[in-house]
Amino acid sequence: MTTLDNWKMTIENLQSQDELDKAKILFLGKAGLLTQEMKTLGSLTVDQKKEKGKALNILRENINQAFLQKKEFFDDIILNEKINAEAVDVTLTTRPRAQGKLHLLSQVMEDIETYFGNLGFKLEMGPDVDDENNNFNALNIPQHHPARQSQDTFYLNSRDANNKNLLRTHTSNIQTHILKNQKPPMRVLALGRAYRSDDIDATHTPMFHQAEVFVIDKNITMGHLKATIIDFLRFFFDEKDLAVRFRPSFFPFTEPSAEVDIKMKGRDWMEILGCGLIHPNVLDNCSVDKTIYQGFAAGMGIERLTMLKYGIKDIRQLYENDQRFLNAYGRV
Ligand code: DAH
Protein backbone atom coordinates (compact mmCIF):
# COMPACT_ATOMS: atom_id res chain seq x y z
CA MET A 1 0.00 0.00 0.00
CA THR A 2 1.30 3.36 -0.90
CA THR A 3 0.89 5.81 1.93
CA LEU A 4 2.35 9.19 2.76
CA ASP A 5 4.69 7.40 5.17
CA ASN A 6 6.55 5.45 2.55
CA TRP A 7 6.71 8.23 -0.08
CA LYS A 8 10.49 8.05 -0.19
CA MET A 9 10.68 4.40 -1.08
CA THR A 10 7.78 4.67 -3.51
CA ILE A 11 9.46 7.41 -5.48
CA GLU A 12 12.81 5.65 -5.34
CA ASN A 13 11.26 2.50 -6.83
CA LEU A 14 9.57 4.20 -9.76
CA GLN A 15 10.58 2.48 -13.02
CA SER A 16 9.51 4.92 -15.71
CA GLN A 17 8.38 8.41 -16.50
CA ASP A 18 4.90 6.98 -16.86
CA GLU A 19 4.88 5.57 -13.33
CA LEU A 20 6.27 8.87 -12.12
CA ASP A 21 3.37 10.82 -13.66
CA LYS A 22 0.89 8.52 -11.92
CA ALA A 23 2.69 8.71 -8.57
CA LYS A 24 2.68 12.48 -8.77
CA ILE A 25 -1.11 12.50 -9.04
CA LEU A 26 -1.34 9.96 -6.24
CA PHE A 27 0.67 12.13 -3.83
CA LEU A 28 0.12 15.68 -4.97
CA GLY A 29 -3.07 15.61 -7.09
CA LYS A 30 -6.32 17.32 -6.08
CA ALA A 31 -7.54 14.10 -4.48
CA GLY A 32 -4.03 12.99 -3.62
CA LEU A 33 -2.68 11.68 -0.33
CA LEU A 34 -1.10 14.95 0.70
CA THR A 35 -4.19 16.98 -0.15
CA GLN A 36 -6.30 14.59 1.93
CA GLU A 37 -3.92 15.00 4.82
CA MET A 38 -4.16 18.81 4.49
CA LYS A 39 -7.93 18.54 4.74
CA THR A 40 -7.60 17.01 8.23
CA LEU A 41 -6.07 20.26 9.47
CA GLY A 42 -9.51 21.82 9.84
CA SER A 43 -10.37 19.63 12.83
CA LEU A 44 -7.25 20.52 14.80
CA THR A 45 -6.52 23.19 17.39
CA VAL A 46 -4.71 26.35 16.35
CA ASP A 47 -1.41 25.14 17.76
CA GLN A 48 -1.72 21.65 16.27
CA LYS A 49 -2.70 23.26 12.95
CA LYS A 50 0.41 25.42 13.01
CA GLU A 51 2.67 22.51 13.73
CA LYS A 52 1.15 20.00 11.36
CA GLY A 53 0.67 22.57 8.58
CA LYS A 54 4.37 23.39 8.74
CA ALA A 55 5.29 19.69 8.69
CA LEU A 56 3.03 19.02 5.67
CA ASN A 57 4.50 21.96 3.77
CA ILE A 58 7.99 20.63 4.36
CA LEU A 59 6.83 17.18 3.29
CA ARG A 60 5.38 18.63 0.05
CA GLU A 61 8.70 20.35 -0.62
CA ASN A 62 10.60 17.10 -0.08
CA ILE A 63 8.24 15.06 -2.24
CA ASN A 64 8.47 17.62 -5.03
CA GLN A 65 12.23 17.56 -4.80
CA ALA A 66 12.29 13.76 -4.98
CA PHE A 67 10.05 13.79 -8.07
CA LEU A 68 12.33 16.34 -9.74
CA GLN A 69 15.40 14.24 -9.10
CA LYS A 70 13.70 11.12 -10.39
CA LYS A 71 12.59 12.97 -13.53
CA GLU A 72 16.16 14.08 -14.22
CA PHE A 73 17.23 10.48 -13.82
CA PHE A 74 14.68 9.33 -16.46
CA ASP A 75 15.59 12.23 -18.77
CA ASP A 76 19.21 11.15 -18.64
CA ILE A 77 18.32 7.61 -19.58
CA ILE A 78 16.25 8.78 -22.55
CA LEU A 79 19.01 11.09 -23.71
CA ASN A 80 21.64 8.38 -23.47
CA GLU A 81 19.46 5.97 -25.42
CA LYS A 82 19.05 8.59 -28.13
CA ILE A 83 22.77 9.29 -28.32
CA ASN A 84 23.52 5.59 -28.56
CA ALA A 85 20.92 5.05 -31.27
CA GLU A 86 22.27 7.90 -33.38
CA ALA A 87 25.93 7.09 -32.91
CA VAL A 88 28.06 6.46 -35.99
CA ASP A 89 30.32 3.48 -35.75
CA VAL A 90 33.55 4.95 -37.04
CA THR A 91 35.26 1.58 -36.90
CA LEU A 92 32.98 0.19 -39.60
CA THR A 93 34.81 -0.30 -42.91
CA THR A 94 33.45 1.75 -45.85
CA ARG A 95 31.78 0.24 -48.86
CA PRO A 96 34.30 -0.41 -51.65
CA ARG A 97 34.56 2.54 -54.02
CA ALA A 98 35.77 2.21 -57.61
CA GLN A 99 38.89 4.20 -58.30
CA GLY A 100 38.97 6.12 -61.57
CA LYS A 101 41.74 5.34 -64.01
CA LEU A 102 43.54 7.34 -66.64
CA HIS A 103 41.98 6.82 -70.06
CA LEU A 104 44.18 5.08 -72.60
CA LEU A 105 44.38 8.18 -74.82
CA SER A 106 45.39 10.29 -71.83
CA GLN A 107 48.05 7.75 -70.94
CA VAL A 108 49.50 7.84 -74.43
CA MET A 109 49.53 11.64 -74.43
CA GLU A 110 51.11 11.65 -71.00
CA ASP A 111 53.82 9.25 -72.17
CA ILE A 112 54.52 11.43 -75.22
CA GLU A 113 54.62 14.53 -73.04
CA THR A 114 57.06 12.89 -70.65
CA TYR A 115 59.29 11.62 -73.44
CA PHE A 116 59.56 14.92 -75.29
CA GLY A 117 59.52 16.90 -72.07
CA ASN A 118 62.74 15.12 -71.09
CA LEU A 119 64.26 16.26 -74.38
CA GLY A 120 63.43 19.88 -73.60
CA PHE A 121 60.27 20.17 -75.70
CA LYS A 122 57.75 22.63 -74.35
CA LEU A 123 54.10 21.59 -74.38
CA GLU A 124 51.74 23.90 -76.28
CA MET A 125 48.04 23.20 -76.78
CA GLY A 126 47.07 26.19 -78.95
CA PRO A 127 43.50 27.20 -79.80
CA ASP A 128 40.97 24.61 -80.99
CA VAL A 129 39.01 27.37 -82.70
CA ASP A 130 41.21 29.14 -85.20
CA ASP A 131 41.00 30.72 -88.64
CA GLU A 132 42.01 29.87 -92.20
CA ASN A 133 45.14 31.99 -92.05
CA ASN A 134 46.60 30.15 -89.10
CA ASN A 135 45.29 26.70 -89.97
CA PHE A 136 45.99 26.80 -93.74
CA ASN A 137 47.58 29.89 -95.31
CA ALA A 138 50.51 30.33 -92.97
CA LEU A 139 51.26 26.63 -93.36
CA ASN A 140 51.50 27.01 -97.12
CA ILE A 141 48.32 25.04 -97.76
CA PRO A 142 46.97 26.48 -101.02
CA GLN A 143 43.46 27.75 -101.60
CA HIS A 144 42.36 24.77 -103.71
CA HIS A 145 43.66 22.14 -101.26
CA PRO A 146 41.04 19.44 -100.53
CA ALA A 147 41.48 19.90 -96.75
CA ARG A 148 39.78 23.26 -97.17
CA GLN A 149 36.54 21.83 -98.56
CA SER A 150 33.57 22.13 -96.26
CA GLN A 151 33.12 18.35 -96.20
CA ASP A 152 36.56 18.18 -94.56
CA THR A 153 36.54 21.23 -92.31
CA PHE A 154 34.06 22.49 -89.74
CA TYR A 155 33.67 26.18 -90.57
CA LEU A 156 32.14 28.49 -88.00
CA ASN A 157 30.19 31.70 -88.42
CA SER A 158 32.75 34.27 -89.48
CA ARG A 159 32.79 38.01 -90.03
CA ASP A 160 35.61 37.78 -92.54
CA ALA A 161 34.64 35.72 -95.58
CA ASN A 162 38.29 35.71 -96.66
CA ASN A 163 39.52 34.33 -93.37
CA LYS A 164 36.83 32.09 -91.96
CA ASN A 165 36.85 30.74 -88.45
CA LEU A 166 37.04 26.98 -88.10
CA LEU A 167 37.78 24.07 -85.80
CA ARG A 168 41.44 23.34 -86.45
CA THR A 169 41.93 20.42 -88.82
CA HIS A 170 45.32 19.58 -87.33
CA THR A 171 47.49 20.67 -84.42
CA SER A 172 49.87 22.24 -86.96
CA ASN A 173 48.02 25.50 -86.34
CA ILE A 174 49.93 25.62 -83.07
CA GLN A 175 53.12 25.86 -85.12
CA THR A 176 51.80 29.02 -86.72
CA HIS A 177 50.99 30.65 -83.38
CA ILE A 178 54.29 29.74 -81.78
CA LEU A 179 56.45 30.69 -84.76
CA LYS A 180 54.71 34.04 -84.98
CA ASN A 181 54.87 34.82 -81.28
CA GLN A 182 57.99 33.24 -79.79
CA LYS A 183 61.65 33.66 -80.58
CA PRO A 184 63.73 30.72 -81.83
CA PRO A 185 65.52 28.51 -80.98
CA MET A 186 62.60 26.39 -79.79
CA ARG A 187 61.51 22.83 -79.25
CA VAL A 188 57.78 22.39 -79.05
CA LEU A 189 55.36 19.52 -78.52
CA ALA A 190 52.00 20.64 -79.88
CA LEU A 191 49.30 18.41 -78.51
CA GLY A 192 45.55 18.47 -78.62
CA ARG A 193 42.34 17.82 -80.49
CA ALA A 194 41.79 18.14 -84.21
CA TYR A 195 38.49 18.15 -86.06
CA ARG A 196 37.42 16.98 -89.48
CA SER A 197 33.97 16.62 -90.93
CA ASP A 198 34.37 12.85 -91.20
CA ASP A 199 31.88 10.05 -90.77
CA ILE A 200 32.17 7.84 -87.73
CA ASP A 201 33.44 4.34 -88.48
CA ALA A 202 36.10 1.92 -87.28
CA THR A 203 38.92 4.26 -88.29
CA HIS A 204 37.34 7.75 -88.30
CA THR A 205 35.81 10.15 -85.82
CA PRO A 206 35.10 13.85 -86.40
CA MET A 207 37.30 14.67 -83.41
CA PHE A 208 40.64 13.05 -82.72
CA HIS A 209 43.99 13.93 -81.21
CA GLN A 210 47.31 14.82 -82.74
CA ALA A 211 50.81 15.37 -81.49
CA GLU A 212 53.18 17.47 -83.49
CA VAL A 213 56.78 18.07 -82.60
CA PHE A 214 58.82 20.84 -84.15
CA VAL A 215 62.23 22.31 -83.62
CA ILE A 216 63.57 25.61 -84.89
CA ASP A 217 67.28 26.24 -84.56
CA LYS A 218 70.41 26.95 -86.54
CA ASN A 219 71.71 24.20 -88.82
CA ILE A 220 68.80 21.82 -88.40
CA THR A 221 68.96 18.89 -90.82
CA MET A 222 67.05 15.73 -91.77
CA GLY A 223 69.57 13.96 -89.52
CA HIS A 224 68.09 15.65 -86.43
CA LEU A 225 64.62 14.79 -87.57
CA LYS A 226 65.43 11.14 -88.26
CA ALA A 227 67.20 10.57 -84.95
CA THR A 228 64.41 12.22 -82.97
CA ILE A 229 61.68 10.22 -84.70
CA ILE A 230 63.44 6.86 -84.66
CA ASP A 231 64.29 7.16 -80.96
CA PHE A 232 60.80 8.23 -80.10
CA LEU A 233 59.14 5.36 -82.00
CA ARG A 234 61.45 2.79 -80.40
CA PHE A 235 60.62 4.19 -76.99
CA PHE A 236 56.92 4.41 -77.64
CA PHE A 237 56.50 0.91 -79.04
CA ASP A 238 58.97 -0.42 -76.53
CA GLU A 239 61.07 -2.24 -79.15
CA LYS A 240 64.67 -1.18 -79.16
CA ASP A 241 65.32 -2.60 -82.62
CA LEU A 242 62.04 -1.43 -84.14
CA ALA A 243 62.55 -1.09 -87.90
CA VAL A 244 61.74 2.45 -89.07
CA ARG A 245 61.87 3.72 -92.66
CA PHE A 246 61.43 7.15 -94.20
CA ARG A 247 59.66 7.37 -97.57
CA PRO A 248 59.77 10.58 -99.63
CA SER A 249 56.37 12.22 -99.57
CA PHE A 250 54.67 15.57 -99.87
CA PHE A 251 53.20 18.00 -97.37
CA PRO A 252 52.65 21.68 -98.20
CA PHE A 253 54.32 22.79 -94.95
CA THR A 254 57.52 20.73 -95.21
CA GLU A 255 60.26 20.38 -97.81
CA PRO A 256 61.61 17.78 -98.10
CA SER A 257 58.79 15.69 -96.67
CA ALA A 258 58.68 12.08 -95.60
CA GLU A 259 56.24 9.52 -94.41
CA VAL A 260 57.47 7.17 -91.75
CA ASP A 261 56.68 3.47 -91.57
CA ILE A 262 57.43 1.05 -88.79
CA LYS A 263 57.67 -2.72 -88.80
CA MET A 264 56.73 -4.22 -85.47
CA LYS A 265 57.78 -7.80 -84.69
CA GLY A 266 55.82 -10.27 -86.79
CA ARG A 267 53.88 -7.59 -88.64
CA ASP A 268 53.90 -5.75 -91.96
CA TRP A 269 55.21 -2.27 -92.56
CA MET A 270 52.72 0.33 -91.34
CA GLU A 271 52.60 4.03 -91.95
CA ILE A 272 52.78 5.88 -88.66
CA LEU A 273 53.45 9.59 -89.18
CA GLY A 274 54.39 12.43 -91.51
CA CYS A 275 57.36 14.76 -91.18
CA GLY A 276 59.87 16.97 -92.91
CA LEU A 277 61.94 20.11 -92.77
CA ILE A 278 59.78 23.15 -92.25
CA HIS A 279 59.06 24.80 -95.60
CA PRO A 280 60.80 28.18 -96.09
CA ASN A 281 57.41 29.68 -96.99
CA VAL A 282 56.12 28.75 -93.53
CA LEU A 283 59.11 30.45 -91.91
CA ASP A 284 58.49 33.53 -94.10
CA ASN A 285 54.77 33.57 -93.32
CA CYS A 286 55.54 33.54 -89.61
CA SER A 287 58.40 36.07 -89.80
CA VAL A 288 61.16 33.64 -88.84
CA ASP A 289 64.43 34.55 -90.61
CA LYS A 290 65.01 31.55 -92.91
CA THR A 291 68.56 32.67 -93.62
CA ILE A 292 69.41 32.02 -89.96
CA TYR A 293 66.98 29.30 -88.86
CA GLN A 294 65.74 25.98 -90.13
CA GLY A 295 63.40 23.55 -88.53
CA PHE A 296 61.88 20.11 -88.64
CA ALA A 297 58.36 19.01 -87.84
CA ALA A 298 56.51 15.74 -87.47
CA GLY A 299 52.82 15.09 -87.00
CA MET A 300 51.11 11.99 -85.69
CA GLY A 301 47.67 10.80 -84.76
CA ILE A 302 47.30 9.84 -81.10
CA GLU A 303 44.46 7.43 -81.82
CA ARG A 304 46.45 5.66 -84.53
CA LEU A 305 49.50 5.31 -82.28
CA THR A 306 47.28 4.02 -79.48
CA MET A 307 45.44 1.51 -81.63
CA LEU A 308 48.67 0.10 -83.07
CA LYS A 309 50.41 -0.18 -79.72
CA TYR A 310 47.49 -1.72 -77.86
CA GLY A 311 45.97 -3.71 -80.71
CA ILE A 312 42.65 -1.87 -80.74
CA LYS A 313 40.71 -2.53 -83.92
CA ASP A 314 37.92 0.03 -83.69
CA ILE A 315 38.58 3.68 -82.86
CA ARG A 316 35.07 4.01 -81.42
CA GLN A 317 36.09 1.88 -78.44
CA LEU A 318 38.23 4.82 -77.36
CA TYR A 319 35.16 7.02 -76.99
CA GLU A 320 32.37 4.73 -75.85
CA ASN A 321 33.66 4.65 -72.29
CA ASP A 322 32.54 1.07 -71.75
CA GLN A 323 33.50 0.28 -68.15
CA ARG A 324 35.08 -3.01 -69.18
CA PHE A 325 37.31 -1.23 -71.68
CA LEU A 326 38.20 1.52 -69.23
CA ASN A 327 39.10 -1.01 -66.57
CA ALA A 328 41.10 -3.23 -68.90
CA TYR A 329 43.21 -0.42 -70.34
CA GLY A 330 43.05 2.21 -67.63
CA ARG A 331 46.14 3.14 -65.67
CA VAL A 332 45.81 4.23 -62.08
N1 DAH B 1 49.38 18.30 -90.24
C1 DAH B 1 49.39 16.98 -90.82
C2 DAH B 1 47.99 16.40 -90.77
O1 DAH B 1 47.16 16.88 -90.10
C3 DAH B 1 50.31 16.06 -90.05
C4 DAH B 1 51.72 16.43 -90.30
C5 DAH B 1 52.42 15.85 -91.32
C6 DAH B 1 52.35 17.35 -89.52
C7 DAH B 1 53.74 16.19 -91.58
C8 DAH B 1 53.67 17.70 -89.75
C9 DAH B 1 54.36 17.10 -90.80
O2 DAH B 1 54.32 18.58 -88.99
O3 DAH B 1 55.66 17.45 -91.01
O4 DAH B 1 47.74 15.43 -91.42
Side-chain angles (χ1 to χ4, degrees):
M1 245 291 271
T2 307
T3 65
L4 260 190
D5 291 334
N6 59 18
W7 66 271
K8 227 177 192 157
M9 222 177 57
T10 309
I11 294 179
E12 233 159 60
N13 289 337
L14 292 174
Q15 295 300 313
S16 66
Q17 178 69 39
D18 213 38
E19 283 183 22
L20 184 141
D21 290 340
K22 282 180 188 143
K24 232 174 168 177
I25 294 170
L26 181 67
F27 284 108
L28 306 172
K30 265 190 196 143
L33 296 172
L34 193 76
T35 320
Q36 277 169 32
E37 200 60 29
M38 292 290 235
K39 281 180 186 157
T40 65
L41 290 177
S43 59
L44 300 178
T45 66
V46 176
D47 277 351
Q48 287 173 321
K49 221 186 258 180
K50 231 180 171 179
E51 199 179 323
K52 188 155 187 196
K54 198 175 165 195
L56 286 180
N57 274 335
I58 291 171
L59 182 60
R60 180 196 299 276
E61 254 320 288
N62 289 341
I63 292 176
N64 258 328
Q65 205 54 45
F67 275 132
L68 258 179
Q69 267 177 22
K70 197 72 185 172
K71 184 176 162 23
E72 272 173 20
F73 173 77
F74 289 138
D75 283 351
D76 273 358
I77 291 178
I78 291 169
L79 186 65
N80 279 331
E81 274 171 4
K82 204 171 160 203
I83 288 171
N84 284 336
E86 289 173 1
V88 175
D89 183 356
V90 291
T91 65
L92 209 63
T93 47
T94 54
R95 258 177 260 141
R97 216 189 314 161
Q99 188 180 4
K101 293 180 180 173
L102 200 61
H103 190 279
L104 193 52
L105 288 175
S106 302
Q107 289 174 40
V108 166
M109 287 189 276
E110 206 177 77
D111 290 347
I112 292 175
E113 257 179 76
T114 305
Y115 178 84
F116 284 105
N118 287 340
L119 293 179
F121 284 71
K122 195 167 147 245
L123 177 67
E124 297 282 356
M125 315 230 23
D128 286 39
V129 176
D130 212 336
D131 60 30
E132 288 182 286
N133 280 344
N134 291 323
N135 192 80
F136 294 130
N137 295 341
L139 293 166
N140 202 35
I141 300 173
Q143 200 65 50
H144 59 263
H145 195 281
R148 293 191 173 223
Q149 305 288 306
S150 59
Q151 63 267 30
D152 290 310
T153 298
F154 290 114
Y155 288 98
L156 306 171
N157 288 339
S158 315
R159 281 206 203 110
D160 186 351
N162 295 318
N163 183 24
K164 284 180 275 181
N165 292 328
L166 45 76
L167 294 179
R168 68 178 176 207
T169 59
H170 47 189
T171 51
S172 303
N173 74 322
I174 299 171
Q175 211 185 109
T176 310
H177 287 278
I178 302 300
L179 293 195
K180 279 183 178 171
N181 296 311
Q182 296 182 18
K183 294 252 165 300
M186 57 175 79
R187 297 174 188 187
V188 175
L189 166 64
L191 190 60
R193 292 174 178 173
Y195 308 83
R196 287 180 201 170
S197 184
D198 273 329
D199 283 336
I200 300 177
D201 60 30
T203 51
H204 296 88
T205 48
M207 187 281 297
F208 54 99
H209 299 76
Q210 283 190 330
E212 171 147 327
V213 287
F214 61 89
V215 169
I216 308 275
D217 210 332
K218 292 171 181 164
N219 305 317
I220 290 292
T221 69
M222 279 300 275
H224 298 113
L225 168 62
K226 285 185 74 173
T228 306
I229 294 304
I230 292 171
D231 273 357
F232 165 69
L233 291 172
R234 288 180 174 167
F235 155 80
F236 182 78
F237 288 101
D238 200 18
E239 280 188 32
K240 74 176 181 350
D241 303 318
L242 182 73
V244 181
R245 77 180 177 197
F246 288 68
R247 274 184 294 106
S249 185
F250 172 82
F251 299 105
F253 31 84
T254 45
E255 180 60 32
S257 303
E259 267 169 328
V260 177
D261 303 330
I262 57 167
K263 192 171 174 355
M264 295 164 80
K265 273 197 197 78
R267 302 178 61 172
D268 266 347
W269 284 101
M270 278 176 305
E271 187 201 320
I272 190 81
L273 58 82
C275 61
L277 295 187
I278 295 176
H279 198 293
N281 289 353
V282 174
L283 298 178
D284 277 345
N285 293 340
C286 299
S287 311
V288 174
D289 189 342
K290 65 178 182 229
T291 64
I292 303 177
Y293 293 107
Q294 297 79 41
F296 73 72
M300 53 203 117
I302 300 291
E303 279 78 355
R304 182 164 170 74
L305 286 172
T306 306
M307 290 166 75
L308 282 177
K309 179 167 176 177
Y310 295 95
I312 291 160
K313 298 279 183 299
D314 192 323
I315 193 172
R316 289 168 292 197
Q317 286 194 288
L318 293 169
Y319 298 110
E320 280 163 355
N321 290 334
D322 185 317
Q323 285 294 323
R324 291 163 299 183
F325 180 89
L326 296 179
N327 274 328
Y329 290 101
R331 181 162 78 195
V332 179

